Amino acid sequence: MLLTIDVGNTNIVYGLFEDKTLVHQFRVETDRGRTADEYAVVLRQLLAMHDVATQDIHAAIIASVVPALTDSMAKLVQRAFGSEPLVVGPGIKTGMPILYENPREVGADRIVNAVAAYERFKGAVIAVDFGTATTFDCVTPKGEYLGGVIATGIQLSAEALFARAARLPRVEIVSPPRVVGRNTVHSMQSGIVFGYVCMVDGLVDRIRDELGYPSQVIATGGLGSLIAPLSRTISHYDPDLTMVGLRLLYERNSAP
């Protein structure tokens, strides 16, 4: 099995592949205070719950946007599975030219998503990842990483509203029954959800206008399942896009 690790600001997602099939996926909260040993204990417990033996895992690849945890994840793999993980970063073979002014500034997760999205459509694509931040990553028809947009994530936006508006309650982030709310909860949910949908569609429209060629739009990330069905520009939703991208990068870097 191949272990894929996506270290985000809010969650760490572990994936297990048998050949090209994602057979298991685990999600744990990102805690910068945990040691590699503590993360190893948690992962071993998750594997045991699904009857997966540590010796079944032969390799691992890591994409991290939390520098403080990158080394911890590498040590986790070394200690738990006795192998050296591949870490997404400068020098890795992506098969995708990076047209960013400074390629080293591009987050590992953004490159991973772009690689997976282009592999799926074999043409121009915009990958929208709904995480702590919402990122829009553009790939040209030739398969080049062009750049993109980084916006505040929907959960982060909502938390700012809850924290700074004293009379507004904390509400669940779900789609309300209508745009025009008839009570405070529905009014807030409308602003959070439909307001975010309009932001996504507006940005995609502007990106397409600027690019000048048609692009597919694929979404991923936890809250993507909420936003994608309400969006007129998002045509595909794949919760496993980042995991698939990590598998592809591992294959490109392990091929003889």
Side-chain angles (χ1 to χ4, degrees):
M1 286 184 175
L2 170 68
L3 174 66
T4 55
I5 306 176
D6 175 30
V7 184
N9 287 293
T10 304
N11 292 302
I12 298 173
V13 183
Y14 302 100
L16 282 177
F17 281 88
E18 286 185 353
D19 295 323
K20 297 183 185 301
T21 303
L22 181 63
V23 291
H24 295 297
Q25 192 169 172
F26 316 120
R27 184 181 298 267
V28 301
E29 184 180 6
T30 301
D31 184 348
R32 291 165 176 78
R34 275 183 178 169
T35 65
D37 290 334
E38 289 171 320
Y39 275 113
V41 169
V42 172
L43 182 55
R44 283 179 181 274
Q45 291 174 338
L46 291 169
L47 294 174
M49 286 172 56
H50 292 81
D51 298 319
V52 177
T54 55
Q55 58 265 32
D56 293 336
I57 297 171
H58 73 281
I61 180 169
I62 301 168
S64 174
V65 298
V66 186
L69 288 180
T70 305
D71 188 52
S72 294
M73 288 297 111
K75 288 179 179 176
L76 178 159
V77 172
Q78 293 162 355
R79 295 174 185 175
F81 310 110
S83 62
E84 194 70 31
L86 179 65
V87 179
V88 179
I92 194 172
K93 297 177 185 176
T94 63
M96 176 172 285
I98 310 299
L99 304 186
Y100 225 53
E101 292 178 0
N102 182 356
R104 292 177 177 270
E105 290 182 356
V106 187
D109 55 336
R110 300 178 68 187
I111 297 300
V112 171
N113 287 340
V115 166
Y118 184 76
E119 180 71 16
R120 177 165 176 169
F121 296 107
K122 297 297 186 182
V125 63
I126 303 167
V128 186
D129 189 352
F130 294 91
T132 306
T134 296
T135 55
F136 299 71
D137 294 299
C138 306
V139 183
T140 71
K142 296 180 181 179
E144 304 157 316
Y145 180 85
L146 182 61
V149 176
I150 302 174
T152 307
I154 187 170
Q155 185 72 53
L156 206 57
S157 297
E159 289 296 333
L161 179 64
F162 303 152
R164 299 301 295 268
R167 297 194 61 183
L168 295 181
R170 183 176 296 272
V171 300
E172 184 181 5
I173 301 178
V174 297
S175 180
R178 59 184 66 85
V179 175
V180 180
R182 308 283 178 82
N183 57 55
T184 300
V185 170
H186 287 168
S187 295
M188 292 176 66
Q189 289 171 336
S190 179
I192 293 169
V193 175
F194 293 127
Y196 211 81
V197 170
C198 291
M199 184 273 282
V200 169
D201 287 342
L203 275 174
V204 170
D205 286 341
R206 286 177 175 268
I207 290 170
R208 283 173 165 166
D209 288 345
E210 186 169 291
L211 295 179
Y213 47 76
S215 298
Q216 296 273 6
V217 181
I218 185 169
T220 191
L223 285 171
S225 59
L226 170 65
I227 302 299
L230 301 172
S231 166
R232 61 174 171 77
T233 58
I234 296 173
S235 53
H236 305 274
Y237 173 69
D238 183 354
D240 303 326
L241 189 71
T242 308
M243 295 289 103
V244 171
L246 283 169
R247 175 183 62 78
L248 289 168
L249 287 180
Y250 175 79
E251 291 172 354
R252 291 176 186 181
N253 283 268
S254 60

